Amino acid sequence: MSLHDDAVLVLKGYEDQPELRQAYLDHLAAHPDGMWKACHAGHVTASALVLDPERGRVLLTLHRKLRMWLQMGGHCEPGDSSLAAAALREATEESGIPDLTLLAGGPVRLDRHPIPAPCHWHLDVQYAAVAAPDAAHAISDESLDLRWFGYDEVADVADTSVLRLLEATRSRLGV
Protein backbone atom coordinates (compact mmCIF):
# COMPACT_ATOMS: atom_id res chain seq x y z
CA MET A 1 0.00 0.00 0.00
CA SER A 2 1.32 3.45 -0.85
CA LEU A 3 1.75 6.20 1.73
CA HIS A 4 -0.97 8.16 -0.12
CA ASP A 5 -3.40 5.24 0.19
CA ASP A 6 -2.50 4.78 3.86
CA ALA A 7 -3.21 8.46 4.51
CA VAL A 8 -6.62 8.20 2.85
CA LEU A 9 -7.51 5.13 4.95
CA VAL A 10 -6.29 6.76 8.17
CA LEU A 11 -8.25 9.93 7.46
CA LYS A 12 -11.41 8.04 6.50
CA GLY A 13 -11.22 6.26 9.85
CA TYR A 14 -10.62 9.46 11.81
CA GLU A 15 -13.95 10.56 13.27
CA ASP A 16 -13.12 13.92 14.84
CA GLN A 17 -12.86 17.29 13.07
CA PRO A 18 -15.09 16.22 10.14
CA GLU A 19 -14.72 19.42 8.06
CA LEU A 20 -10.94 19.47 8.32
CA ARG A 21 -10.76 15.72 7.71
CA GLN A 22 -12.78 16.22 4.52
CA ALA A 23 -10.47 19.05 3.43
CA TYR A 24 -7.51 16.66 3.79
CA LEU A 25 -9.30 13.95 1.80
CA ASP A 26 -10.27 16.47 -0.91
CA HIS A 27 -6.67 17.65 -1.09
CA LEU A 28 -5.37 14.11 -1.53
CA ALA A 29 -8.02 13.37 -4.18
CA ALA A 30 -7.05 16.48 -6.15
CA HIS A 31 -3.27 16.12 -5.71
CA PRO A 32 -1.68 12.70 -6.29
CA ASP A 33 1.56 14.29 -4.99
CA GLY A 34 -0.20 15.72 -1.92
CA MET A 35 1.95 13.72 0.49
CA TRP A 36 5.19 15.32 -0.66
CA LYS A 37 6.96 18.59 0.00
CA ALA A 38 7.07 19.24 -3.77
CA CYS A 39 3.27 19.74 -3.85
CA HIS A 40 3.03 23.53 -3.75
CA ALA A 41 -0.72 23.52 -3.09
CA GLY A 42 0.12 22.00 0.29
CA HIS A 43 1.18 18.64 1.61
CA VAL A 44 0.46 16.20 4.40
CA THR A 45 2.93 16.15 7.27
CA ALA A 46 3.13 13.88 10.33
CA SER A 47 3.97 14.85 13.88
CA ALA A 48 3.93 13.41 17.38
CA LEU A 49 3.70 14.99 20.80
CA VAL A 50 6.25 13.13 22.92
CA LEU A 51 5.02 12.68 26.47
CA ASP A 52 5.91 11.10 29.75
CA PRO A 53 2.47 10.51 31.30
CA GLU A 54 3.93 9.15 34.55
CA ARG A 55 5.52 12.54 35.24
CA GLY A 56 2.84 14.66 33.55
CA ARG A 57 5.15 16.27 31.03
CA VAL A 58 5.78 16.70 27.31
CA LEU A 59 8.98 17.11 25.35
CA LEU A 60 8.97 20.10 22.99
CA THR A 61 11.53 21.24 20.46
CA LEU A 62 12.52 24.85 19.88
CA HIS A 63 12.31 24.68 16.09
CA ARG A 64 15.44 26.06 14.44
CA LYS A 65 13.68 27.86 11.56
CA LEU A 66 10.40 28.87 13.20
CA ARG A 67 11.87 29.67 16.64
CA MET A 68 8.76 28.25 18.30
CA TRP A 69 8.26 25.45 20.84
CA LEU A 70 6.53 22.65 18.92
CA GLN A 71 5.91 18.92 18.94
CA MET A 72 8.27 16.77 16.86
CA GLY A 73 7.28 16.36 13.23
CA GLY A 74 7.85 17.06 9.61
CA HIS A 75 7.61 15.91 6.04
CA CYS A 76 6.81 12.42 4.94
CA GLU A 77 9.63 10.57 3.18
CA PRO A 78 9.48 7.90 0.46
CA GLY A 79 10.68 5.23 2.91
CA ASP A 80 7.78 5.83 5.31
CA SER A 81 5.36 2.91 5.19
CA SER A 82 2.51 4.83 6.85
CA LEU A 83 1.60 8.16 8.43
CA ALA A 84 2.11 6.58 11.83
CA ALA A 85 5.58 5.42 10.79
CA ALA A 86 6.41 8.93 9.55
CA ALA A 87 5.27 10.48 12.84
CA LEU A 88 7.26 7.93 14.87
CA ARG A 89 10.37 8.44 12.69
CA GLU A 90 10.16 12.22 13.09
CA ALA A 91 9.63 11.97 16.85
CA THR A 92 12.57 9.59 17.23
CA GLU A 93 14.90 11.65 15.02
CA GLU A 94 14.06 14.97 16.63
CA SER A 95 13.95 13.78 20.25
CA GLY A 96 16.86 11.36 20.13
CA ILE A 97 14.73 8.93 22.14
CA PRO A 98 14.63 5.35 20.86
CA ASP A 99 11.75 3.04 21.74
CA LEU A 100 8.96 5.62 21.63
CA THR A 101 5.49 4.07 21.41
CA LEU A 102 2.62 5.73 19.59
CA LEU A 103 -0.52 6.12 21.65
CA ALA A 104 -3.15 3.63 20.52
CA GLY A 105 -6.12 4.81 18.50
CA GLY A 106 -4.43 6.52 15.56
CA PRO A 107 -4.10 10.27 15.09
CA VAL A 108 -4.99 12.50 18.02
CA ARG A 109 -5.74 15.66 15.98
CA LEU A 110 -5.45 17.35 12.62
CA ASP A 111 -3.96 20.81 12.20
CA ARG A 112 -3.78 22.81 8.96
CA HIS A 113 -1.45 25.79 9.05
CA PRO A 114 -0.03 28.16 6.44
CA ILE A 115 3.65 28.07 5.60
CA PRO A 116 5.84 30.39 3.51
CA ALA A 117 5.98 30.13 -0.30
CA PRO A 118 6.52 28.27 -2.51
CA CYS A 119 4.22 25.89 -0.64
CA HIS A 120 1.06 27.15 1.00
CA TRP A 121 -0.18 24.66 3.60
CA HIS A 122 0.93 21.92 5.94
CA LEU A 123 -1.86 19.41 6.53
CA ASP A 124 -0.50 17.94 9.74
CA VAL A 125 -1.70 14.59 11.04
CA GLN A 126 -0.83 14.65 14.73
CA TYR A 127 -0.10 11.62 16.90
CA ALA A 128 1.17 11.23 20.46
CA ALA A 129 4.20 9.14 21.43
CA VAL A 130 4.95 7.85 24.92
CA ALA A 131 8.52 7.93 26.26
CA ALA A 132 9.82 5.97 29.20
CA PRO A 133 10.11 8.09 32.39
CA ASP A 134 13.90 7.77 32.36
CA ALA A 135 14.29 8.45 28.61
CA ALA A 136 17.30 10.58 27.72
CA HIS A 137 16.78 13.03 24.86
CA ALA A 138 19.27 14.58 22.44
CA ILE A 139 18.99 17.79 20.45
CA SER A 140 18.92 17.27 16.67
CA ASP A 141 20.16 19.60 13.94
CA GLU A 142 16.57 20.78 13.47
CA SER A 143 16.32 22.13 17.02
CA LEU A 144 17.79 25.01 18.96
CA ASP A 145 16.70 23.37 22.21
CA LEU A 146 14.75 20.40 23.49
CA ARG A 147 13.05 20.53 26.87
CA TRP A 148 10.49 18.76 29.06
CA PHE A 149 7.54 20.90 30.18
CA GLY A 150 4.89 20.02 32.72
CA TYR A 151 1.39 19.89 31.25
CA ASP A 152 0.55 23.16 33.02
CA GLU A 153 3.66 24.92 31.65
CA VAL A 154 2.92 24.35 27.94
CA ALA A 155 0.54 27.34 27.68
CA ASP A 156 3.42 29.63 28.69
CA VAL A 157 5.69 28.58 25.81
CA ALA A 158 3.68 27.05 22.95
CA ASP A 159 1.01 28.20 20.52
CA THR A 160 -2.64 27.14 20.47
CA SER A 161 -1.97 24.28 18.05
CA VAL A 162 0.31 22.57 20.57
CA LEU A 163 -2.16 23.30 23.38
CA ARG A 164 -5.02 21.71 21.43
CA LEU A 165 -2.85 18.67 20.72
CA LEU A 166 -1.94 18.37 24.40
CA GLU A 167 -5.60 18.69 25.44
CA ALA A 168 -6.68 16.01 22.95
CA THR A 169 -3.84 13.73 24.07
CA ARG A 170 -4.71 14.14 27.74
CA SER A 171 -8.35 13.45 26.93
CA ARG A 172 -7.39 10.22 25.17
CA LEU A 173 -5.29 9.25 28.20
CA GLY A 174 -8.12 10.15 30.57
CA VAL A 175 -5.98 12.66 32.54
Side-chain angles (χ1 to χ4, degrees), residues 151-169:
Y151 294 158
D152 60 343
E153 297 173 311
V154 174
D156 296 333
V157 298
D159 70 2
T160 57
S161 171
V162 177
L163 290 174
R164 287 189 300 261
L165 177 56
L166 175 57
E167 289 170 12
T169 300

Side-chain angles (χ1 to χ4, degrees), residues 140-161:
S140 75
D141 292 340
E142 296 181 37
S143 301
L144 293 171
D145 197 0
L146 196 62
R147 193 177 309 162
W148 288 104
F149 293 93
Y151 294 158
D152 60 343
E153 297 173 311
V154 174
D156 296 333
V157 298
D159 70 2
T160 57
S161 171

Side-chain angles (χ1 to χ4, degrees), residues 3-4 7-8 11 23-25 27-28 31 33-37 39 41-47 74-77 83 86 110 119 121-126:
L3 187 57
H4 184 279
V8 170
L11 291 164
Y24 281 38
L25 289 168
H27 173 78
L28 290 172
H31 302 282
D33 62 345
M35 296 298 301
W36 312 115
K37 188 176 181 178
C39 182
H43 48 272
V44 173
T45 56
S47 67
H75 297 104
C76 296
E77 295 181 2
L83 278 175
L110 304 177
C119 190
W121 294 98
H122 272 178
L123 308 169
D124 197 29
V125 180
Q126 300 177 325

